[in-house]
Amino acid sequence: MSDQFTHQVTSPGPAQGLTFSGRRRIGRTAGTGDLPLIIAVHGGGFTSAYFDVPGYSLLDRAAALEVPIIAVDRPGYGGSNPVPAGEPVLLANAAALDHLITELWAANGAGSAGVFVVGHSIGAAVSLAVAARKPEWPLLGLALSGCLLREPASFADRWAALPGATLRSPDEDKATRMFGPAWTYRSDMPKASYFANVAVLKAELVEISSAWHDLFRALAPEISVPVHLRQGEFEKLWITDHEQVAEFAAALTASPWVDAEVFRSAGHAIDYHRVGAAFQLQQLSFALTCAARRVAECAD
């Protein structure tokens, strides 16, 4: 298991005074210069523990390659303070995380080529919004999963009609949305993932279901870094096919490199399926390649 931490943002900006929590694996030989610092951003109804399930941990896999990685709890999750009520949730998350990463980079970036952001589900939408802000810290690229353009038409009304500010499904019910058919995951799943489950913030569910398509169209032309996108073949939360993936990729007109595919034999939470190791290694390979390219560009 990884080191858990808290960090209070002290510099001026949208997250000043907010406290964030998360998990990290930073230990490595400093000064190699060609490794990324990975920041992982979870989806709705999870915490940073999403990336640290034993046997399926992106943090462990990155650490095995001596790649430093920090999984943050998004605002309102884990020990992280929420963003101000009434603001658009996705953009407010992006502003706060952009500011947080500025300080995480200053504290942990020595010897790294730059920051590579991994985002899952709503965390993928937030990660795109972070990239569109043109952050001051050196962004190398993005790896996204569990986020496309269109959800089933009934979702926005369904989420909006439910009472309360948070929603918590029974673990077994949530698993029916996160996983593909039984043959796509091992016998320890889905139960092994339950410790990462928490209530989801209703406001972000409503926003991702009703406003994301238009927001994506505004953000996409501003993404000027390489993008890796994988969408599970048995996705249940997004309308998923090769045409949807191609449409998403085609909108990223300023990105120098887009690698986008439907990922076979997996549902929404690709990490937790039999193909999870292959998926995570693809993300890490992409991150390492982006870092090496940045080093080469700086040497020219």
Side-chain angles (χ1 to χ4, degrees), residues 29-268:
T29 302
T32 58
D34 57 356
L35 294 177
L37 170 63
I38 294 179
I39 303 292
V41 184
H42 64 84
F46 290 102
T47 66
S48 57
Y50 176 88
F51 297 104
D52 203 24
V53 173
Y56 301 85
S57 171
L58 177 65
L59 278 75
D60 285 350
R61 216 172 297 281
L65 297 173
E66 298 185 342
V67 174
I69 182 168
I70 302 173
V72 299
D73 292 323
R74 287 197 292 109
Y77 286 95
S80 294
N81 295 144
V83 293
E87 296 187 13
V89 180
L90 301 180
L91 294 180
N93 262 250
L97 290 180
D98 180 5
H99 191 186
L100 169 66
I101 295 170
T102 298
E103 294 197 357
L104 294 179
W105 168 251
N108 301 281
S112 297
V115 175
F116 186 89
V117 178
V118 174
H120 174 250
S121 195
I122 293 175
V126 171
S127 298
L128 276 165
V130 169
R133 291 173 57 84
K134 312 292 187 186
E136 295 181 0
W137 38 271
L139 177 61
L140 301 172
L142 303 171
L144 312 174
S145 65
C147 182
L148 273 182
L149 298 178
R150 298 172 180 86
E151 292 186 324
S154 62
F155 275 21
D157 291 340
R158 182 191 306 178
W159 304 139
L162 294 173
T166 62
L167 308 171
R168 177 70 189 259
S169 298
D171 290 334
E172 294 78 8
D173 291 348
K174 183 175 180 177
T176 66
R177 298 189 292 273
M178 296 296 113
F179 287 83
W183 59 266
T184 63
Y185 52 89
R186 300 188 182 97
S187 60
D188 60 337
M189 283 291 177
K191 189 174 182 179
S193 69
Y194 291 169
F195 91 98
N197 289 345
V198 296
V200 62
L201 302 179
K202 176 181 166 181
E204 65 184 31
L205 277 182
V206 173
E207 190 173 309
I208 198 75
S209 300
S210 60
W212 169 240
H213 183 269
D214 290 343
L215 179 58
F216 173 79
R217 293 297 177 187
L219 297 175
E222 303 302 318
I223 308 301
S224 57
V225 295
V227 177
H228 182 275
L229 172 70
R230 293 293 183 266
Q231 197 71 8
E233 176 186 10
F234 298 109
E235 172 70 59
K236 296 185 178 73
L237 297 181
W238 297 91
I239 298 171
T240 297
D241 53 36
H242 293 285
E243 289 73 22
Q244 292 283 316
V245 170
E247 182 181 352
F248 189 106
L252 300 169
T253 53
S255 171
W257 177 25
V258 179
D259 181 348
E261 294 181 1
V262 174
F263 203 81
R264 293 176 62 85
S265 303
H268 182 72

